[in-house]
Amino acid sequence: MAVTAFYDVPAPAKLNLHLHVLGRRADGYHLLDSLMVLIDWADTLHFELRTDGTLARHDTGAALPSDDLCLRAARALQRASGTTLGADITVDKRVPWGAGLGGGSSDAASTLLALNRLWALGWPLARLLPIGLALGADVPFFLAGSNARATGIGEQLTPVAHAKRWYAVVKPATNLETRAVFTRPEVAAAIEAARIAGFSKSVERNDLQAAAEGLCAEVSLAATLLFDVFGNSRMTGSGSAVFADAGEGSSPSAVLPGDWPSGWTARLCRSLERHPLAGWAGSEE
């Protein structure tokens, strides 16, 4: 019997445990080195088959942009495969945008994996990865299914084992756009400093944090508040979210405060050993 729907498809967020900017290519893309870890803060997507070729998105929470990464991913796979099928895509958005948590990229990856099955394409991961990369540098990470060190512009992935840990994640009210952060002078200064002093992949920092703090004082405040509780903090990705390592074991090392400023979102998350959809792509040809 043909599959006509997939419900409750997860799209987990990620943290950049470190993020170093090593240079900039002639085409404007920045060269990065980052350790990326999946966490259990996730959006939930639902997919229902359409035979008329239409792709439609429905939002159960806050409205997404009219042409978000889910629809762009669906169109890209539809175009590449030549299928005449379509889908209704319902998004329960929980991961905030503009946070550096990869929510949009994760939604796109889960869309590609789910529609690959719903449309009975059976494409292997190797055929989905180029489509994902064209959508965004973080999409291949979510497609690949494991925690990884990412290099190049983020598309060169080396799987890494990462023991389960607790992380306290705080998203201030302000959203930050990736382009605005990367064009700040602090990023160019970080690249020059790396060139002069050399680079150590063991240093747990985010080279974009100074640039983000220059755009949004809330990032600095969030980092300070988390540091006061957990003794560590740093920014993730290129958005406004900040996190702290809250330890391993059955419970976090400290209680996350509940009195955050208005409009802020905070939660304790567990890291994931692998993506919930790992293995959803077809077998290699």
Side-chain angles (χ1 to χ4, degrees):
M1 182 178 297
V3 175
T4 59
F6 286 119
Y7 298 109
D8 299 321
V9 175
K14 56 82 179 171
L15 295 175
N16 297 83
L17 300 192
H18 71 245
L19 196 164
H20 305 298
V21 185
L22 306 182
R24 185 178 181 182
R25 302 194 317 192
D27 61 6
Y29 283 97
H30 286 81
L31 299 172
L32 308 173
D33 187 295
S34 184
L35 178 58
M36 302 171 71
V37 172
L38 297 156
I39 57 174
D40 62 1
W41 195 349
D43 296 335
T44 303
L45 288 73
H46 315 281
F47 300 87
E48 297 181 82
L49 185 69
R50 295 183 64 134
T51 59
D52 62 359
T54 298
L55 296 169
R57 197 199 69 236
H58 314 279
D59 304 329
T60 61
L64 295 171
S66 60
D67 189 30
D68 73 321
L69 276 173
C70 286
L71 285 177
R72 290 167 56 192
R75 284 200 306 270
L77 185 60
Q78 188 184 58
R79 183 168 55 249
S81 66
T83 183
T84 59
L85 299 173
D88 283 301
I89 306 171
T90 302
V91 181
D92 182 4
K93 189 69 179 169
R94 300 297 177 89
V95 179
W97 72 276
L101 296 170
S105 294
S106 187
D107 292 346
S110 290
T111 295
L112 291 174
L113 291 166
L115 293 182
N116 184 44
R117 284 194 164 193
L118 189 65
W119 293 341
L121 300 178
W123 281 17
L125 185 60
R127 294 188 70 177
L128 297 176
L129 286 171
I131 297 175
L133 181 59
L135 295 165
D138 282 345
V139 180
F141 165 73
F142 292 106
L143 285 172
S146 66
N147 300 318
R149 182 183 176 197
T151 55
I153 61 171
E155 87 289 5
Q156 299 173 20
L157 301 168
T158 303
V160 299
H162 183 74
K164 280 192 173 182
R165 299 192 68 83
W166 288 96
Y167 292 100
V169 186
V170 175
K171 164 63 171 65
T174 302
N175 304 315
L176 291 179
E177 295 184 358
T178 296
R179 182 181 298 275
V181 173
F182 270 100
T183 54
R184 291 280 298 185
E186 294 91 342
V187 176
I191 294 173
E192 180 63 13
R195 185 188 68 80
I196 295 173
F199 162 67
S200 172
K201 69 180 181 182
S202 63
V203 177
E204 293 185 338
R205 70 170 186 271
N206 186 329
D207 287 348
L208 302 177
Q209 186 160 339
E213 290 175 345
L215 290 168
C216 173
E218 289 181 320
V219 173
S220 180
L221 177 58
T224 298
L225 293 174
L226 276 180
F227 189 91
D228 290 344
V229 176
F230 296 97
N232 70 93
S233 66
R234 56 193 179 278
M235 196 178 83
T236 178
S238 58
S240 60
V242 176
F243 72 97
D245 186 328
E248 55 185 350
S250 60
S251 61
S253 60
V255 176
L256 189 65
D259 55 345
W260 298 99
S262 176
W264 289 34
T265 303
R267 61 181 292 168
L268 285 166
C269 302
R270 294 295 302 271
S271 62
L272 303 175
E273 294 180 353
R274 66 200 307 253
H275 196 291
L277 305 184
W280 267 46
S283 58
E284 295 296 326
E285 299 175 339

